[in-house]
Amino acid sequence: MRIRRIKRRLIFQGLFYRLAILILLLAGSACREDSPLDFTVLDDPAERGRVDSTGIGSLLLEESFRDTITANGRGPFLEIGKFRNLSSRILLKFDTLPDTFRINGVTLFLDTNTLFTEGSSKSLFNATVHRVTADWQESSVTGENFGNAYDPAILAEARILSTAANFTSGDSVGIEAVRFDFNATGRSVVSSWQDSTRGDNFGILVDFDAQSRFVKEFFSEDGLFSQPRLELDVTGTVRDTILRVADADAFLLTMDEPFPAGPLLIEDIFSSQAVIKFDLSSIPRQATINRALLQLEIMTEESFLKESGYSIRLERLASPFVPPSTFEIDSTFISLTSFLDRSTRTVSVPVTGLVQFWTAGTVENHGILLRTLNPGRDLSRVAFHSSTTSPTRAPRLQIDFSIGSGSP
Amino acid sequence: MQKLISIILLGSVSFLSPHEAKAQSFYSQRGVGLTKYFVSGQAVGMGGVGLAVSDRFSFNYVNPAALVGMPAAFISGTFTHEALGLSGSGQNADISNTNFSGVQFHLPIKRDRISFAVGLIPYSKIEYSFSGSGSLNNTPLTETLSGAGGVNNAFLSLAFRPFDRLSIGVTGLLYFGNLRSIWRITFAETSGLLNTQQENTLSFTDSNFRVGAQFEALPGWRLGAVYSPSASLNADQSILLINILELTDLPGQVLKIPAAYGVGTSLFLGKKLLVGADYYVERWSDISTDGFVNDGKRFSIGLEYSGRSTRINSSLFSRSAIRLGFFVRDLGLEVPVGESVKEVFGTLGVGFPLRWSASRLDFGLEIGQRGSLDNNPIKENIVRITGAITVGEAWFFRGARR
C-alpha cells in the first residue's frame, strides 16, 4: 500500500515536472500575435512624426572656375574653325615614310563627325596646311603651349563647308571627307619625311581663315574608323597608291575672349568646373531622407551640345573649396554621372545617400564638384543657370524626408 | 533539482534576450510603460496580497523582509501568459503574449535569522503598435509606430530577523533596460522613395533601494510595509536611421521612477485559512511625467485555503493550496486628460507541491479589465495566467554532531 502510494506520488511528480518543462518552453518561445491599432486612437499625435517635401535653393557656395587646360591628343576628335570665343587648329604627325618609292602626289583626308554652329545658316571658310617647325607630343600639346611654331607657306588648302557629316547618295549613306590636295611644296615636304636622318619631321598644322564662323569636328587617329590619312600617289616598281594613317594628332583650342560670367560652366578642354554647396540647416538631423534630387537647369544659349549628348560627373568635396580653384575630392565617394542631350532642359541627379550623410552629420558638407566626364574630348560644354543668371532657375535640391518624434 | 534549476535559468535567458514586441497594451505608450506589480506566485491568486505574508515556499519580490521565513536554498522562476481583447473607438483587436517574468535565488545565511537573495524582474513594459496610411505628394504610404522595451530590475536583498516577531529587509535595485520606439514609413516599390525606419532608443542603468518590514503583532496576525524612494534614471539617447546611420551624441533624458510605499496585513483564521489585504501607492503626482499625473493606487484583498500539512504520508490535497482574490488599481494615468485609467481584476490560484516539502508550483489566473469605454478611448479585457516554480534544497545543512 505504502509502495503504491509512493509510486503514485512519483508518477504525479513526473507529470508536474513535464508540465513545468512544457510551460517554460512555451515561455522561452515567447509566442505573440500582432494586431496594430489605428493611429486615430494614438494618445499623443505628436508621437507620430511627419513626412514632408521641401526645395532647398539657398546656396552657401556657387562658383565656376577653370583648372589646368587639358591636352586632347588622346581624344577621339579633331576640331577646326572659330565659334563664339573659341578657335581651334589641327596638328597631325606622320612618322618616317619608307624611301622605296617616289612620291608623285599627296592628298590629306579628314572625315567629318559634326559641326558646332549657330542656327542652320550655311557658310564656309578656307583651311590651309602648313609645316610645323617644332616638335610636339600629343599627350601634352595644348593651344596654350604650342605657340606659333609653323611655317606660313601653304602646303595644301580646302574649303570647309557647314554641312552635315552624313549625306545620302541614292540608297547609300556616306560620311563627308574633306580633301586637301598638296601642291609641289607640300609634296616636297612630305617627300622629306622619307629621309629618317633629317630629324625635322614635326608634322603639319591645319589652320583656318578669317571667314570661319563655325567649328568642324573630324575623327581623330584614336578612333577605330575614319582616321586622318594621307593618300600617296607613288612610283616604285609599279605605280601605286598608298594610304598612311596619322601617327599622332591633336587640336589646339584657344580662348579669344573669356567665357561668359554668370552661368555654371562645365566643359572639356579648359577644365571648366563648378562647385555648389547647399544650406541644409533647415533639415533636422534625425530626418530620414526618402529622396533628394539635385536639379540643374540648362542655359541653352550658352551650351554647346552634340547630338550624341554630354555627360557630367558629380564628386563630393572632402574639404572646403578654396577659391580660385583648390579643392579635394573624396575618393571614397562613388561619383555620380548624369547624361544630357540637346533636348534636356533640366538635369535631375539623385543624391539621396549623400544628402542623408550630410544632414545626419556623418560627413561634412563641403559641397559638390560638377565637372565633365570626358576631359579633353571635344568642344562640348554645358552651362547651367546660377543665382546670378536667374535666381528662380538656380541649382536646387528637392528633398522628400520624414522625421519621427523626438524620443520613445 | 539540477534539471529544474537549468530550465529556470534557461527561461531567464529568454527573459533577458531582446524581443521585438508585437503584442501591446494601449496604455503602455506613456513614460516608462505599464508598471508591473508582482509580489509572488502565491500572491497572484490572492489578488496580489503579500506584503504581510511570509511563506516558506514563496519568493516575495516586493517585501524583502518576507525572505527570512524561507528555510532553505531556493530558486524560483516565473512566467506569464497574457491575452488581451482591445475594444473602443471603432477598433477591435486580440493580442496574446507569453514571456518569462522573473527569477530569484534565495540562500539562508542563518536559518530563520538572516537571508540573502538575488534576482531579476521586470519593473515596467512598453508594448504598443499603431498603423495607418497616408500619402506624400500623391505617393501612397503606410505608416507604423511601435514601442518596445521597458525597465528591468536586478536586485539583491538582505533580510534579517532581529527579534522573533520582527523581520526587516533591504533590497538594492539596479534599473536597466531600454525604451524603444520604431517608426516606419513604407512607400510603393515603384515610387523611387527610400523607406523610413527610425528607431529611437533610451538606454539606462541606475540604482535605487527598497526597505521592507514585517511584524507579527499577534500569533497569526502579521503587518507588513515597504518603501522605495523615487529615482531618476539618466538615459542615453540614440537614433538609428534606416538601420545604418546611428546618431549617438544626442542629449540624454531623465526618466523618473516614483517613490512607492505599501502596507498590508495578513491573518490566519485557524490553521488553514489565510486572509489578507494590501494597499500600495506609487507617487506619480510628485513627479508628474508624461501622462502620469496622479498617484497610482492599488488595493487588494485575498485569501488562501491550504491544509499546510508537512507529514510524509499526508495527501496531495492537504499539501496544496487554493486561492481567491480581488484588486482594483488606478494606474495614475489620465487618458484623455481628466480621465483616470483603472484596472479591476478577480483572481484565482492554486499551489501544488513538486516534491515532498521542498518545492512548489503555483498558478494564478487573473481576469479583469483595464480602462473603461465610459471614460477612456480603449478598454482592455485581460486574462492573465502566471506560473511560478520554486525549487528548494537544504544547502550547507549541518547535522547533529556525534
Side-chain angles (χ1 to χ4, degrees):
Chain A
M1 181 73 171
R2 188 182 168 190
I3 292 171
R4 211 180 302 155
R5 250 204 309 254
I6 291 170
K7 264 191 188 171
R8 207 180 324 149
R9 193 177 301 144
L10 286 172
I11 291 168
F12 203 37
Q13 270 176 214
L15 280 174
F16 272 116
Y17 183 77
R18 287 176 180 85
L19 178 63
I21 292 171
L22 177 66
I23 291 168
L24 283 168
L25 284 173
L26 276 175
S29 68
C31 49
R32 294 176 173 86
E33 291 175 22
D34 182 12
S35 189
L37 294 172
D38 191 86
F39 272 114
T40 50
V41 295
L42 181 64
D43 195 15
D44 181 6
E47 299 262 335
R48 193 169 172 181
R50 63 186 173 94
V51 289
D52 208 346
S53 269
T54 186
I56 306 257
S58 173
L59 285 153
L60 299 173
L61 184 62
E62 187 186 32
E63 285 215 24
S64 264
F65 64 95
R66 276 187 51 196
D67 207 338
T68 312
I69 191 169
T70 305
N72 55 67
R74 298 284 161 79
F77 304 113
L78 300 170
E79 321 277 358
I80 187 164
K82 180 177 168 60
F83 180 59
R84 300 253 187 115
N85 64 326
L86 301 173
S87 298
S88 184
R89 296 170 294 176
I90 292 173
L91 281 175
L92 297 163
K93 193 188 285 183
F94 299 85
D95 286 346
T96 304
L97 300 174
D99 58 1
T100 55
F101 47 76
R102 186 165 65 93
I103 296 172
N104 303 312
V106 179
T107 307
L108 171 66
F109 288 95
L110 299 174
D111 288 354
T112 304
N113 181 44
T114 191
L115 287 174
F116 289 95
T117 185
E118 305 269 27
S120 57
S121 58
K122 303 294 182 198
S123 65
L124 61 85
F125 63 88
N126 268 347
T128 52
V129 178
H130 307 266
R131 183 173 71 90
V132 175
T133 56
D135 201 7
W136 54 275
Q137 303 300 323
E138 70 168 0
S139 60
S140 58
V141 70
T142 69
E144 290 179 350
N145 62 26
F146 176 74
N148 285 318
Y150 68 97
D151 185 340
I154 295 173
L155 306 180
E157 58 188 311
R159 278 196 314 176
I160 308 296
L161 306 173
S162 60
T163 53
N166 300 326
F167 64 91
T168 53
S169 172
D171 293 333
S172 61
V173 176
I175 294 178
E176 180 206 36
V178 174
R179 179 187 175 118
F180 295 79
D181 288 313
F182 279 52
N183 56 26
T185 309
R187 287 196 296 273
S188 172
V189 167
V190 175
S191 297
S192 71
W193 297 347
Q194 291 177 292
D195 183 355
S196 60
T197 65
R198 286 184 60 155
D200 61 351
N201 175 10
F202 303 128
I204 52 178
L205 173 85
V206 184
D207 200 357
F208 59 91
D209 69 6
Q211 293 179 75
S212 177
R213 297 289 180 269
F214 62 91
V215 164
K216 196 136 187 177
E217 181 176 273
F218 301 107
F219 292 101
S220 80
E221 58 90 11
D222 290 286
L224 293 175
F225 313 103
S226 304
Q227 293 138 320
R229 57 204 176 275
L230 285 177
E231 186 182 87
L232 304 174
D233 177 14
V234 301
T235 306
T237 52
V238 294
R239 192 166 179 132
D240 203 355
T241 300
I242 296 173
L243 278 180
R244 187 60 185 266
V245 172
D247 294 293
D249 59 16
F251 63 92
L252 307 173
L253 195 65
T254 54
M255 196 185 299
D256 303 325
E257 293 161 8
F259 283 124
L264 300 171
L265 209 57
I266 319 286
E267 57 81 41
D268 292 355
I269 303 301
F270 297 99
S271 301
S272 299
Q273 303 165 80
V275 170
I276 53 176
K277 177 179 166 182
F278 290 93
D279 179 4
L280 297 174
S281 57
S282 62
I283 307 292
R285 188 178 168 212
Q286 56 262 43
T288 297
I289 306 300
N290 301 113
R291 178 170 55 198
L293 290 175
L294 172 64
Q295 292 176 330
L296 305 162
E297 287 206 37
I298 294 177
M299 213 172 153
T300 52
E301 60 273 27
E302 293 294 343
S303 301
F304 311 154
L305 296 176
K306 299 194 296 192
E307 279 184 9
S308 53
Y310 190 71
S311 292
I312 61 171
R313 190 158 130 177
L314 278 75
E315 313 268 14
R316 181 189 158 256
L317 291 182
S319 61
F321 173 74
V322 180
S325 61
T326 304
F327 56 89
E328 182 189 351
I329 290 175
D330 179 4
S331 58
T332 64
F333 174 74
I334 298 173
S335 52
L336 303 168
T337 58
S338 185
F339 177 80
L340 45 141
D341 59 28
R342 286 178 177 171
S343 65
T344 307
R345 293 295 173 262
T346 302
V347 173
S348 278
V349 186
V351 288
T352 305
L354 182 58
V355 171
Q356 178 71 80
F357 283 115
W358 278 340
T359 55
T362 309
V363 297
E364 243 353 277
N365 176 14
H366 298 300
I368 52 177
L369 178 74
L370 302 168
R371 52 171 34 174
T372 178
L373 184 63
N374 301 299
R377 182 181 174 89
D378 55 30
L379 213 61
S380 297
R381 80 177 187 209
V382 63
F384 295 113
H385 278 287
S386 68
S387 306
T388 308
T389 59
S390 175
T392 57
R393 302 171 76 179
R396 62 187 176 276
L397 271 180
Q398 188 62 40
I399 300 178
D400 299 318
F401 67 95
S402 47
I403 177 161
S405 67
S407 58
Chain B
M1 166 68 165
Q2 286 173 348
K3 285 183 187 174
L4 277 173
I5 290 173
S6 305
I7 289 167
I8 289 166
L9 289 173
L10 278 172
S12 66
V13 169
S14 159
F15 159 72
L16 288 173
S17 62
H19 295 292
E20 184 182 337
K22 290 186 176 175
Q24 60 172 312
S25 167
F26 172 79
Y27 296 103
S28 70
Q29 300 170 53
R30 295 305 204 163
V32 295
L34 278 178
T35 56
K36 184 182 169 75
Y37 184 80
F38 178 79
V39 177
S40 66
Q42 175 194 30
V44 171
M46 295 173 65
V49 170
L51 294 181
V53 175
S54 179
D55 187 275
R56 291 158 55 84
F57 301 115
S58 186
F59 272 93
N60 198 308
Y61 284 81
V62 177
N63 192 343
L67 295 171
V68 79
M70 303 184 80
F74 283 97
I75 186 166
S76 175
T78 310
F79 67 91
T80 304
H81 173 80
E82 190 175 72
L84 284 87
L86 281 74
S87 61
S89 303
Q91 301 188 51
N92 288 285
D94 292 306
I95 299 106
S96 65
N97 184 13
T98 306
N99 216 331
F100 215 82
S101 54
V103 63
Q104 188 168 180
F105 172 72
H106 166 268
L107 192 66
I109 307 295
K110 187 173 182 183
R111 190 170 171 171
D112 287 333
R113 287 293 173 192
I114 305 173
S115 279
F116 165 81
V118 294
L120 291 166
I121 190 169
Y123 172 80
S124 71
K125 203 80 174 170
I126 289 181
E127 284 181 325
Y128 60 86
S129 179
F130 296 90
S131 74
S133 58
S135 68
L136 173 65
N137 298 332
N138 297 321
T139 301
L141 58 91
T142 54
E143 179 185 1
T144 60
L145 176 66
S146 57
V151 181
N152 300 305
N153 269 340
F155 60 87
L156 189 152
S157 299
L158 202 61
F160 60 100
R161 182 174 282 160
F163 311 108
D164 283 348
R165 295 200 290 173
L166 175 67
S167 55
I168 297 169
V170 61
T171 299
L173 299 166
L174 178 69
Y175 296 109
F176 68 96
N178 58 64
L179 310 179
R180 287 181 294 138
S181 73
I182 302 162
W183 185 58
R184 291 189 180 96
I185 301 282
T186 305
F187 299 98
E189 274 192 34
T190 54
S191 66
L193 291 160
L194 197 67
N195 292 335
T196 296
Q197 178 165 311
Q198 179 175 328
E199 188 171 322
N200 292 18
T201 304
L202 289 174
S203 306
F204 46 85
T205 308
D206 227 314
S207 59
N208 200 0
F209 69 92
R210 181 186 299 130
V211 293
Q214 286 187 344
F215 177 67
E216 191 169 12
L218 290 170
W221 180 32
R222 196 180 283 262
L223 303 169
V226 293
Y227 171 77
S228 58
S230 62
S232 294
L233 311 182
N234 294 306
D236 296 322
Q237 185 176 190
S238 65
I239 294 177
L240 183 65
L241 299 176
I242 46 175
N243 275 330
I244 55 173
L245 276 177
E246 190 170 15
L247 312 178
T248 52
D249 52 339
L250 298 167
Q253 289 190 26
V254 176
L255 303 172
K256 293 190 177 173
I257 305 288
Y261 65 85
V263 292
T265 184
S266 67
L267 177 67
F268 272 101
L269 299 175
K271 281 189 180 178
K272 298 184 180 181
L273 183 63
L274 172 69
V275 297
D278 280 357
Y279 180 66
Y280 189 78
V281 177
E282 293 170 310
R283 298 276 302 175
W284 291 106
S285 60
D286 290 344
I287 54 178
S288 260
T289 178
D290 204 10
F292 287 90
V293 293
N294 303 316
D295 287 346
K297 296 170 188 168
R298 190 181 195 282
F299 176 71
S300 50
I301 54 173
L303 62 89
E304 177 187 73
Y305 181 85
S306 168
R308 301 182 199 282
S309 173
T310 58
R311 289 184 298 178
I312 290 176
N313 58 350
S314 49
S315 67
L316 177 65
F317 181 75
S318 66
R319 289 182 282 120
S320 301
I322 298 172
R323 304 171 187 122
L324 203 62
F326 172 82
F327 74 85
V328 292
R329 182 184 180 193
D330 185 335
L331 297 179
L333 264 178
E334 284 188 358
V335 180
V337 172
E339 298 291 349
S340 58
V341 181
K342 292 187 170 69
E343 291 180 340
V344 179
F345 275 79
T347 69
L348 194 62
V350 290
F352 298 104
L354 281 178
R355 264 163 68 173
W356 173 251
S357 78
S359 308
R360 192 167 74 193
L361 180 64
D362 291 301
F363 283 105
L365 174 68
E366 298 169 277
I367 299 175
Q369 177 182 307
R370 181 185 297 137
S372 158
L373 292 180
D374 292 334
N375 305 317
N376 312 117
I378 295 287
K379 182 182 79 169
E380 297 175 354
N381 295 318
I382 300 165
V383 176
R384 190 159 52 220
I385 300 171
T386 302
I389 301 172
T390 305
V391 177
E393 266 189 1
W395 289 6
F396 315 118
F397 176 70
R398 291 178 185 174
R401 287 189 178 180
R402 294 190 178 180

